[in-house]
Amino acid sequence: MDLKKLTELVVELEEDLIQDAVREALGQDKLDPFEVLNALTSGMDEVGRLYEEKEYYLTELVLAGETMKKAFKILQPALISTGNLGHPKKIILATVKGDNHDIGKNILGSLLLSSGFEIHDLGMDVPADAIIEKVKETGAGILALSTLLTVTVEQIKIVHERLIKENLRDKIKLIVGGAALNKDNAREMGADDFATDAAEGVKHIRKLAGM
Ligand code: B12
């Protein structure tokens, strides 16, 4: 099983073949779990491109999501075992209001677990109110928000401003990620930090947590 084949299986939406393929890649081929993750993510990028070019439709996006979730079930333990345990720190994870993409956020959550964080995952399509409530309830020091849609980027600013209003902004670090974001718009929305992928995200978050 090579990395190119894994990418192809995602693009071809082979949800019945993907788990055996990931098993083979990690088992007999001893591929690095992070390289496997990158290969799968490249497949998702290609699916996104085909959707943009109207070669794929919503059905294919849904199937791609299912394929990635199945692959990740097999990949997750391998990714986790590469982590080294640190000090538990509280972190809130959420995909912002209006956005139902959660695969990337869930990958970040799994990697953070392996770094010893205490995760409070609010799921997807989470309004600012629910996030503020959770910050108050947990006293978490880090808030990680995900968004893949251009139209929901603005939600980050809404959360940032609510945190200011509630006198919570200086008690929490806000890191954001997802395909709709980059360093510049993340900063414009009031975030303290941005990372392009989940592995980078963990590094940044460990730094923000003083680990
Ligand atoms: C799968 C998918 C779906 C699935 C999502 C399933 C699920 N449970 O997540 C479904 C079918 C639901 C879906 C729906 C829609 N989608 Co969609 N979808 C995708 C697709 C193909 C892959 C996303 C994905 O899972 N990638 C794999 C993961 C691993 O990558 P990731 O999410 O980017 O996460 C990585 C990093 O970004 C980062 N990261 C993510 N979050 C965070 C957070 C932090 C804090 C950090 C540090 C890092 C980080 O780490 C992750 C791992 O490394 C993308 C195309 C793409 N290339 O992104 C389109 C895409 C995001 N979708 C798109 C669109 C338009 C839609 C719909 C509006 C379609 C429609 N007409 O209904 C709806 C919106 C529904 C809604 N309200 O949210 C567009 C968005 C365009 C835009 N710029 O706004 C894209 C880009 C496709 C395209 N090229 O047009 N989609």
Side-chain angles (χ1 to χ4, degrees):
M1 183 55 52
D2 60 22
L3 293 168
K4 216 172 130 232
K5 181 74 192 160
L6 284 172
T7 305
E8 273 168 29
L9 288 175
V10 174
V11 178
E12 287 158 13
L13 315 167
E14 295 285 7
E15 59 168 324
D16 295 332
L17 303 181
I18 197 75
Q19 293 196 321
D20 281 342
V22 173
R23 258 185 222 114
E24 190 183 316
L26 296 171
Q28 74 191 54
D29 299 331
K30 300 203 178 352
L31 295 180
D32 177 344
F34 282 94
E35 282 184 10
V36 172
L37 176 61
N38 282 341
L40 298 169
T41 306
S42 300
M44 296 298 266
D45 287 344
E46 178 62 8
V47 169
R49 197 187 61 77
L50 291 168
Y51 175 79
E52 244 170 56
E53 292 184 354
K54 300 201 168 39
E55 279 187 47
Y56 274 9
Y57 295 94
L58 195 56
T59 318
E60 282 80 13
L61 282 192
V62 173
L63 280 175
E66 293 305 316
T67 308
M68 185 73 185
K69 281 191 175 173
K70 283 192 176 168
F72 194 63
K73 262 199 189 135
I74 308 297
L75 184 58
Q76 187 179 29
L79 284 171
I80 286 178
S81 67
T82 64
N84 41 355
L85 277 180
H87 301 290
K89 299 255 177 176
K90 288 184 185 176
I91 176 160
I92 299 171
L93 282 184
T95 299
V96 300
K97 186 180 167 194
D99 190 336
N100 287 326
H101 295 85
D102 67 350
I103 297 171
K105 169 188 71 63
N106 294 344
I107 293 175
L108 177 68
S110 300
L111 297 187
L112 286 168
L113 263 184
S114 73
S115 289
F117 283 91
E118 180 184 313
I119 315 285
H120 297 268
D121 188 344
L122 294 173
M124 56 193 176
D125 188 18
V126 185
D129 278 349
I131 294 172
I132 302 296
E133 272 309 299
K134 203 65 179 178
V135 174
K136 287 182 183 165
E137 179 196 317
T138 58
I142 296 173
L143 171 60
L145 295 180
S146 176
T147 188
L148 271 74
L149 297 175
T150 311
V151 286
T152 50
V153 166
E154 195 74 20
Q155 287 295 324
I156 291 167
K157 195 169 184 186
I158 293 174
V159 173
H160 164 70
E161 283 169 357
R162 281 292 308 278
L163 287 167
I164 295 174
K165 205 167 155 209
E166 305 276 344
N167 283 325
L168 293 166
R169 188 63 187 91
D170 55 354
K171 297 185 180 67
I172 198 157
K173 296 281 184 206
L174 173 58
I175 178 164
V176 296
L181 292 164
N182 56 52
K183 230 180 188 165
D184 294 334
N185 66 0
R187 198 141 293 193
E188 271 166 37
M189 296 298 125
D192 299 305
D193 204 354
F194 158 81
T196 46
D197 62 42
E200 268 306 298
V202 173
K203 281 188 204 153
H204 286 220
I205 288 167
R206 288 175 67 94
K207 216 171 184 182
L208 290 173
M211 291 163 80

